[in-house]
Amino acid sequence: TTSRGTSATTFNFSTFVSHIGTDGTGLLVPDTNNHRVLIYKRMPDKNGAAADIVLGQADFLGSTNGRNSVKMDQPVCAVSDGIRLAVCDRANSRVLIWNSMPTVNGQPADVVVGQTNFSNGGSGVTASTLSFPRAAGWIGQKFLIVDTNNNRVLVFNQTPTTNGASADLVIGQPNFTSNGIVDTTTGAVSARSLRLAGSGATPVGSEEELIIADSANNRILIYRPFPTTSYPYAKVVLGQPNFTSTSNNADGPTERSMRLPEGVGIFGKSLLVLDTTNNRVLVYDNIPEENFAPAHVLIGQSDFSNATSCNPAGGITAKTICAAEGMTISGRHLLIADSSFANRVLIFDLLAGMQAMQLGPQFNQGKAVLGKVFADTDGDGWQEEGEIGLEGVRVASDTGIFAITDPDGKYHFPSLEVGQRLLKIDETTLPAGSAVTTSNPHLAVVTAGVLTKVSFGVKVPAEALAARTGTKEGPLLKVAVSQDPVRLQRELAITGKKLENRLQFLIRCNYHLFVARSELVLYNAGRREIKRIETAGLLPYQYEVNPADMPSGQEIACYQLMVYDQDGRVDRTTVGCFEPA
């Protein structure tokens, strides 16, 4: 069915809808023509599910546009980093940010980007203004905005906390006041130009790479590593044989071609591209290293050369998509805003549908489980702001091992056998009179290649709760009980600095729980090894070396970090060198 409406269960999409999102647990839908954003606290598992919260309107029946901290005009993206929420308020040329996930209908935004205040409108092309933004999102600590009509992507090194903040970097333009569609040096399309008319794809990536849908040029650009300066060159192009071609597959679609791609996502090691006008999703087994690489799996069409008409062979079904303009990946789910025609969001189970895909980063994170035990004050099985984590609670698994929660209520199992596992709170470790408000025991499905999360709510007597001091900064996981796995983007990095009488190293690693031992390797200017420093587990975040402890006559010029898991598999950084004094 394709009907549209204004209620808690219906949408009124338009051709501008660009990016549905998730906070890691629920679903975020920008309902563009109803001038609102719908929030589902949990990922829907039934057709026609009702939203829990509406933004932009006082209730689920409202559909008026406006411009203030509450009202919107054609919102086209809704994304979250698990803590904050960002909405692309397209027709107001701004992005609204909530510092924590909203909990009530019509909750006002905290920060506006693109305008100096919540009442201003109008577009511009500066470091602090926007022109009809279509997408936004987080990559690590960085916040990115796809500034569509300015043909650029703005990068903020930190999430803006004040109105009218200025971006730190610009991609696709030589400066913050340009908005052309060709390279300013060559006068033609190149590896550093963008043409984003119609594009609504949120960039994805990590510190190692950035992936952008250059929609009107019918291509995907991959930058390696993540750009640190403005106007960077892309390293790899998909959809085109080179960086100067912009063909729209006029001779028919293939496994290499694209036509107005408006979505990108990463699932395990695989790259997914929403090929909008070809009404399909292209799946690459690995993020390509070479230009014009072919896709391996197809969603939405039965064959790579199929006719590209909407909903072929029998009309709209659960397998077809029609000019879809929004895509995101949450755990094992692929979410598609099948918007222009069908007014629906499609939810695909990627693990069930693509068993052949290789998942997960180098270390085997598929056996890991993490979660939280929290004080469920209202007993609804959902952790709201102010409901603290519970320390010292034992969580046991049916494999015979257990974990104990930390001061924030967090626990983890670094390794559990793949398959169905039972997890249970040891109720003898809870305050007297407590009652578990979620399933206990809970059946979790531990899946290869992804991280499983399971959290437990506990109603604690008021007098016992008053004696506890858990975190009040919001939950680690916005989830009550979930076996919905989420992918970890692997990060391992080291930077070194020569100080007056010591060498200082700063280390970042987001999978330190899986590191059994590590080695810091020091080299001379000729990349000849001088010394190898070993430690059990990962080196600390900040590590210092006294040059006097090194072999005499040897000057340390470069360094590298190598880490090993319990099976001896190695991951390493590239060799870095100290800047000249």
Side-chain angles (χ1 to χ4, degrees):
T1 56
T2 63
S3 59
R4 62 185 65 196
T6 306
S7 69
T9 60
T10 55
F11 309 141
N12 187 4
F13 279 156
S14 78
T15 56
F16 296 124
V17 168
S18 64
H19 196 82
I20 52 180
T22 174
D23 62 354
T25 303
L27 176 67
L28 311 171
V29 179
D31 189 7
T32 306
N33 280 356
N34 281 327
H35 308 292
R36 64 183 188 174
V37 169
L38 300 178
I39 299 178
Y40 299 75
K41 289 186 177 181
R42 296 174 177 82
M43 189 65 64
D45 57 6
K46 296 180 181 179
N47 294 339
D52 297 292
I53 297 170
V54 61
L55 301 179
Q57 307 294 336
D59 55 44
F60 289 104
L61 301 179
S63 61
T64 59
N65 64 337
R67 186 194 304 137
N68 52 41
S69 62
V70 174
K71 301 296 289 183
M72 309 171 187
D73 193 349
Q74 293 185 343
V76 292
C77 87
V79 293
S80 174
D81 63 351
I83 300 174
R84 293 163 286 234
L85 170 70
V87 170
C88 303
D89 190 10
R90 175 187 175 276
N92 285 325
S93 288
R94 64 184 188 175
V95 172
L96 301 174
I97 297 176
W98 284 257
N99 292 331
S100 60
M101 287 299 296
T103 56
V104 296
N105 293 342
Q107 184 168 323
D110 298 299
V111 178
V112 60
V113 182
Q115 307 292 342
T116 56
N117 56 57
F118 288 105
S119 59
N120 279 2
S123 59
V125 54
T126 67
S128 60
T129 57
L130 304 169
S131 182
F132 295 89
R134 289 280 301 275
W138 284 267
I139 296 179
Q141 297 297 316
K142 300 182 186 298
F143 182 67
L144 289 78
I145 296 176
V146 178
D147 190 13
T148 304
N149 283 15
N150 284 328
N151 299 296
R152 64 184 185 175
V153 174
L154 297 178
V155 180
F156 299 78
N157 289 335
Q158 301 290 332
T159 304
T161 56
T162 57
N163 296 341
S166 295
D168 297 288
L169 300 177
V170 59
I171 299 172
Q173 300 296 333
N175 53 57
F176 287 108
T177 57
S178 299
N179 59 7
I181 60 174
V182 296
D183 191 308
T184 54
T185 302
T186 66
V189 173
S190 76
R192 59 181 182 174
S193 64
L194 293 173
R195 187 179 182 186
L196 298 178
S199 177
T202 295
V204 297
S206 65
E207 286 197 355
E208 298 175 357
E209 62 200 350
L210 173 66
I211 305 174
I212 294 176
D214 187 11
S215 182
N217 283 326
N218 303 296
R219 65 184 187 175
I220 301 295
L221 297 179
I222 303 177
Y223 302 78
R224 291 195 176 104
F226 191 103
T228 56
T229 58
S230 293
Y231 213 25
Y233 289 89
K235 300 295 184 185
V236 177
V237 61
L238 304 178
Q240 303 294 339
N242 53 57
F243 287 105
T244 59
S245 175
T246 61
S247 169
N248 65 357
N249 66 256
D251 297 329
T254 71
E255 67 271 22
R256 299 177 189 270
S257 67
M258 300 174 188
R259 193 169 187 179
L260 292 178
E262 295 201 26
V264 287
I266 298 173
F267 181 65
K269 295 180 180 179
S270 301
L271 174 68
L272 283 74
V273 174
L274 178 60
D275 188 12
T276 295
T277 307
N278 283 329
N279 303 300
R280 63 185 188 174
V281 174
L282 301 173
V283 183
Y284 300 80
D285 283 350
N286 292 281
I287 298 176
E289 302 282 345
E290 298 180 356
N291 296 342
F292 210 34
H296 302 93
V297 179
L298 190 63
I299 299 172
Q301 301 286 346
S302 59
D303 188 273
F304 283 108
S305 59
N306 245 28
T308 60
S309 60
C310 285
N311 305 310
I316 188 168
T317 72
K319 289 186 176 182
T320 57
I321 56 179
C322 180
E325 297 188 12
M327 182 188 84
T328 194
I329 293 173
S330 174
R332 65 190 294 161
H333 297 115
L334 168 66
L335 314 173
I336 294 180
D338 195 15
S339 53
S340 301
F341 170 72
N343 294 290
R344 64 182 188 174
V345 170
L346 297 175
I347 304 177
F348 295 81
D349 186 334
L350 290 175
L351 286 183
M354 291 183 279
Q355 295 290 340
M357 293 177 64
Q358 297 180 5
L359 309 175
Q362 179 171 340
F363 286 176
N364 186 2
Q365 295 171 338
K367 298 180 180 180
V369 175
L370 61 76
K372 195 170 190 182
V373 178
F374 62 92
D376 189 9
T377 306
D378 55 10
D380 65 353
W382 177 265
Q383 187 181 23
E384 279 87 16
E385 185 175 357
E387 292 183 336
I388 67 174
L390 299 177
E391 181 181 7
V393 179
R394 178 180 295 195
V395 181
S397 105
D398 61 355
T399 61
I401 62 175
F402 65 87
I404 298 177
T405 58
D406 69 6
D408 292 331
K410 296 176 289 187
Y411 76 92
H412 79 274
F413 292 107
S415 181
L416 283 182
E417 294 178 15
V418 170
Q420 293 187 348
R421 299 268 71 87
L422 284 174
L423 301 178
K424 184 178 181 181
I425 291 180
D426 181 353
E427 297 190 30
T428 64
T429 61
L430 296 173
S434 298
V436 182
T437 60
T438 50
S439 300
N440 190 42
H442 176 75
L443 178 63
V445 180
V446 181
T447 308
V450 286
L451 183 70
T452 304
K453 55 186 182 182
V454 177
S455 292
F456 296 90
V458 179
K459 192 152 190 178
V460 180
E463 60 276 12
L465 190 59
R468 293 187 173 246
T469 58
T471 178
K472 289 185 170 56
E473 297 178 355
L476 165 73
L477 303 169
K478 292 251 181 182
V479 59
V481 171
S482 172
Q483 62 187 52
D484 184 18
V486 294
R487 186 182 64 87
L488 283 182
Q489 178 66 50
R490 178 167 53 89
E491 178 182 15
L492 179 68
I494 182 171
T495 55
K497 181 184 295 185
K498 281 190 174 181
L499 302 179
E500 183 176 355
N501 57 356
R502 65 193 187 281
L503 307 176
Q504 184 184 79
F505 298 93
L506 300 180
I507 298 167
R508 296 191 307 278
C509 179
N510 69 348
Y511 54 91
H512 60 278
L513 297 175
F514 302 89
V515 175
R517 65 184 183 90
S518 60
E519 297 175 338
L520 174 61
V521 187
L522 304 176
Y523 304 93
N524 62 19
R527 303 292 177 91
R528 190 180 187 89
E529 184 177 322
I530 297 175
K531 188 175 179 64
R532 189 173 291 240
I533 301 171
E534 298 188 26
T535 182
L538 184 66
L539 288 164
Y541 167 72
Q542 181 171 309
Y543 189 80
E544 295 185 350
V545 174
N546 186 344
D549 296 335
M550 298 297 103
S552 59
Q554 295 278 2
E555 181 178 358
I556 302 170
C558 302
Y559 50 87
Q560 183 179 27
L561 180 64
M562 306 175 73
V563 297
Y564 301 83
D565 72 356
Q566 60 186 5
D567 296 322
R569 291 173 294 186
V570 64
D571 200 3
R572 57 175 62 85
T573 66
T574 57
V575 175
C577 296
F578 297 102
E579 294 183 3

